[in-house]
Amino acid sequence: MTSTLGQHAVTTAPGTSQAAPPRRRARKSGFQSPSINLFYVPALAILAVFSIYPVISGISLSVTNWDGYSPDRSFVGISNYLRLGTDPIFRMVFTNTLIYGIGSTIIQQVLGLGLALALNRRFRGRSVARAIIYLPVLVSPVIMGTMYYLLFQYNFGALNTVITGLGGEPVAWFANANYAVIIVVLVNSLQFVGISMIIYLAGLQTIPAELTEAAALDGAGSWRLFRHITLPLLQPAFATSVVLNLIGGLKLFDVIRVLTGGGPGYSTNSVSTYLSIVYFGEQNAGYASAMGVVLFLLIAVCTLGLNKLLDRGRVDL
Amino acid sequence: MNKQPLSATLRTALILGLALMAFMQLLPFWLAVSTASKPPTDLSSVLIPRFHDIAWSNFEQAIEYGNILVAIRNTALVTVIATVLVCVLGGMAAYPLARRLSLFNRFTATLILSLIMIPPLSTIVPLYTLLSNLGAINTYWGQIAVSVAGGLPLSVFLYTAFMRSVPTALDEAAQIDGANVAQVFFRIIFPLLKPVTATVAILTGVGVWNDYALSNYILTDPDKRMIAPAVAGFFAQQSSNLGAGAAASLMAVVPILVAYLMLQKMFMSGMVAGAVK
């Protein structure tokens, strides 16, 4: 409780608030009254009804055999979850989901950081380049998927037009499961690389020029500047970008629907798209709900784990 | 801003890399323009658009059968209202979460953050059931409520992250000058976060405008449909007519592009407003 006393000393005696140690103490104890919490009541009310309640309701549906429309359903315990472990299609789409999430995240960090470093320099056309890289973020994945279909389709597709023009045989890109999965990862990564770029650019702008100038004066070269000043100070941007990209990749839905339709067979489905097939196609709402719970848990575990991991390496100015 | 000169090799690599990325990002749009410019009978290479004789019939079909203009109006209505709510309510919610780090508030922040992770489809069954019970299917407010709930977690997350970088000295000074908590927030803190608000507005606006997974089930009436389901539905109806589909896609992209170009200046004008410095 000594910190509370210290806080009073700060707030009642303005003269002392310039001193660094008391201010740090004041921040720790929190200088506002609990009534400030009223500020999050409207947001929490909306989230409680339209986000949190459906999650809980979904969990309770996942232990039933509900078909999605009839009034009766019976409790079936964890049998839906047990079935997930033995369903070969689910195991495949689960693996695909991991590939989409991790693959997209890696590609987007490498490209996003590279682009941010390149576009943080002053040169003519910089803002145009930024706008072009960011452009696809604005477009619905449904529409982006359709446009990329024009690139990869077998007949009249742009890529095959080039290949046959060079004397090669046209490739059925979407008939090969491996190609199709890679194409989905690439399309998703390129579409949203602008988000990573913007986050890294924002991070770069928080690095004070005096810091890099001072280090340069002290004789640090480009690489050492990057390694020991830029990179550690980009840690918060890195954490934000990785977490957002991973979540985006793991819940991939729209682009798969348009680009491959989940095919060939089930081989490019993610958990999200397979879930929709099970629910809308096979009227198995209970089983689909169990998939939803597992998908949510997967994303939750990855994200919270990452947050903990990434927070440890954080450097504050 | 790094002012150090680059070596010639690095410079060339950088320019080539940027050019390649820009090319990759523009290619799909080029192909869509090309496809939309040709009548279905034109089987020439998709790489070369037909600018000398654009097939406007593709656009006419998109408007007539795809109901694209009505869908754009509906989407604009939902997007504007939802985005304003997400910015204001998200910013407000972030204030106590950034400033009052009590155990309960840290729990609340984690709870809200965890909602980012909910994949829209994982809760579609209970959500649809809830909306039917509330009579919210085929109503704009139903779609707006769901969109706000979808956008709020990221909004709160971003506002909280950046609000923590605004020195508490500002709050202290304003309080000493006699401002209450609401005045401190709306007059001092929220205006300082304009760059974050621009970011949140763009991310939310884009998310709501492009929503497909949820709006496809909530607004099913052809007169109330939003743009992404309208374009997707158009493809389902006219699966052989890629030209009209590409035209519909391009028309769906234009409004949000205009909005982005208007907001872009604010977007990068600095994520952290250092008022004290």
Side-chain angles (χ1 to χ4, degrees):
Chain A
M1 285 300 107
T2 47
S3 62
T4 318
L5 289 173
Q7 162 215 338
H8 278 289
V10 172
T11 46
T12 52
T16 58
S17 68
Q18 286 171 345
R23 214 169 83 188
R24 196 181 301 145
R25 228 181 294 148
R27 189 192 290 178
K28 257 185 198 164
S29 65
F31 66 94
Q32 268 104 356
S33 66
S35 67
I36 192 181
N37 286 355
L38 286 174
F39 272 67
Y40 58 55
V41 170
L44 267 188
I46 291 173
L47 289 172
V49 176
F50 295 101
S51 286
I52 299 170
Y53 167 75
V55 169
I56 295 165
S57 177
I59 293 170
S60 71
L61 285 176
S62 73
V63 290
T64 69
N65 62 355
W66 197 36
D67 55 16
Y69 50 88
S70 64
D72 2 283
R73 66 189 88 154
S74 6
F75 177 77
V76 295
I78 58 163
S79 66
N80 282 331
Y81 292 95
L82 294 177
R83 192 177 146 194
L84 285 174
T86 55
D87 180 346
I89 298 174
F90 181 78
R91 291 163 80 138
M92 181 169 65
V93 303
F94 190 83
T95 311
N96 286 347
T97 303
L98 292 179
I99 294 171
Y100 295 146
I102 298 169
S104 305
T105 305
I106 293 172
I107 295 175
Q108 286 175 75
Q109 298 331 300
V110 173
L111 289 181
L113 181 57
L115 286 167
L117 288 169
L119 293 172
N120 199 38
R121 311 186 74 88
R122 284 183 196 285
F123 62 89
R124 233 161 17 124
R126 176 175 75 162
S127 55
V128 175
R130 280 185 188 176
I132 289 173
I133 304 293
Y134 193 75
L135 179 66
V137 173
L138 307 170
V139 179
S140 171
V142 170
I143 292 168
M144 215 60 210
T146 311
M147 291 177 173
Y148 271 106
Y149 181 75
L150 301 173
L151 176 63
F152 290 109
Q153 66 162 322
Y154 185 73
N155 290 316
F156 312 117
L159 199 53
N160 278 344
T161 306
V162 172
I163 290 174
T164 49
L166 295 173
E169 286 293 308
V171 180
W173 297 103
F174 296 123
N176 179 316
N178 292 334
Y179 287 159
V181 167
I182 292 169
I183 288 171
V184 169
V185 171
L186 282 177
V187 168
N188 181 56
S189 305
L190 284 177
Q191 175 167 14
F192 292 110
V193 73
I195 290 182
S196 316
M197 178 190 75
I198 288 285
I199 292 171
Y200 284 121
L201 273 172
L204 286 173
Q205 288 184 354
T206 64
I207 299 175
E210 309 92 71
L211 210 61
T212 43
E213 277 160 18
L217 278 178
D218 288 346
S222 292
W223 169 250
R224 287 183 66 197
L225 268 181
F226 176 72
R227 176 66 192 85
H228 295 289
I229 307 251
T230 311
L231 216 52
L233 289 174
L234 279 179
Q235 176 70 17
F238 180 73
T240 306
S241 180
V242 164
V243 170
L244 290 180
N245 293 159
L246 188 69
I247 294 173
L250 290 177
K251 66 184 183 191
L252 206 58
F253 175 75
D254 300 15
V255 71
I256 300 168
R257 291 294 292 263
V258 189
L259 208 52
T260 68
Y266 286 94
S267 58
T268 55
N269 273 298
S270 66
V271 174
S272 287
T273 58
Y274 183 50
L275 185 160
S276 77
I277 293 170
V278 168
Y279 174 52
F280 295 107
E282 300 169 13
Q283 269 86 44
N284 202 337
Y287 190 39
S289 298
M291 286 181 199
V293 172
V294 167
L295 179 61
F296 178 59
L297 284 179
L298 167 73
I299 293 179
V301 167
C302 288
T303 312
L304 297 177
L306 262 181
N307 264 336
K308 215 161 220 133
L309 203 72
L310 294 173
D311 226 35
R312 210 179 289 158
R314 197 185 178 107
V315 180
D316 284 316
L317 277 178
Chain B
M1 217 55 64
N2 197 343
K3 288 181 196 110
Q4 282 200 322
L6 287 173
S7 72
T9 334
L10 202 60
R11 216 180 126 82
T12 315
L14 207 130
I15 291 169
L16 280 179
L18 274 179
L20 180 69
M21 277 303 294
F23 171 77
M24 284 305 294
Q25 298 298 69
L26 287 177
L27 183 60
F29 296 93
W30 177 258
L31 298 177
V33 168
S34 172
T35 306
S37 72
K38 294 175 189 179
T41 49
D42 186 335
L43 299 180
S44 62
S45 167
V46 68
L47 290 167
I48 299 147
R50 182 175 156 135
F51 284 139
H52 60 280
D53 180 23
I54 293 170
W56 293 109
S57 60
N58 285 333
F59 292 86
E60 283 161 21
Q61 282 186 31
I63 292 169
E64 208 172 315
Y65 302 113
N67 232 353
I68 293 299
L69 295 183
V70 176
I72 287 175
R73 190 204 60 197
N74 299 341
T75 313
L77 176 83
V78 171
T79 303
V80 168
I81 298 176
T83 303
V84 169
L85 286 173
V86 166
C87 287
V88 175
L89 299 183
M92 282 171 64
Y95 190 43
L97 299 178
R99 285 294 187 257
R100 199 179 143 80
L101 300 175
S102 63
L103 194 65
F104 181 73
N105 280 7
R106 268 179 285 175
F107 168 77
T108 307
T110 310
L111 177 72
I112 293 177
L113 178 64
S114 71
L115 298 179
I116 291 182
M117 307 178 290
I118 300 176
L121 269 147
S122 72
T123 56
I124 187 72
V125 187
L127 190 62
Y128 188 86
T129 312
L130 171 74
L131 291 172
S132 318
N133 294 341
L134 295 172
I137 297 296
N138 271 320
T139 66
Y140 293 122
W141 76 262
Q143 176 65 41
I144 289 168
V146 169
S147 299
V148 171
L152 269 177
L154 181 58
S155 164
V156 174
F157 174 63
L158 290 175
Y159 272 116
T160 309
F162 287 103
M163 219 176 275
R164 281 188 181 144
S165 69
V166 175
T168 50
L170 280 177
D171 310 52
E172 286 162 10
Q175 280 202 330
I176 289 163
D177 288 345
N180 63 34
V181 178
Q183 284 168 328
V184 171
F185 176 74
F186 285 110
R187 301 244 175 102
I188 313 272
I189 305 298
F190 199 60
L192 269 183
L193 296 170
K194 257 184 208 145
V196 188
T197 303
T199 307
V200 171
I202 287 174
L203 293 179
T204 310
V206 169
V208 178
W209 184 277
N210 291 335
D211 176 53
Y212 170 74
L214 295 175
S215 68
N216 194 31
Y217 304 107
I218 297 171
L219 296 172
T220 53
D221 186 334
D223 291 332
K224 291 185 174 161
R225 237 175 5 176
M226 295 203 3
I227 191 74
V231 172
F234 192 80
F235 269 91
Q237 286 165 28
Q238 324 249 327
S239 53
S240 61
N241 194 347
L242 281 177
S249 302
L250 290 175
M251 290 164 76
V253 171
V254 168
I256 202 148
L257 247 181
V258 173
Y260 167 62
L261 290 177
M262 284 178 351
L263 270 172
Q264 201 202 355
K265 274 180 198 155
M266 288 169 73
F267 199 64
M268 289 311 297
S269 68
M271 289 289 191
V272 182
V276 162
K277 268 180 211 158

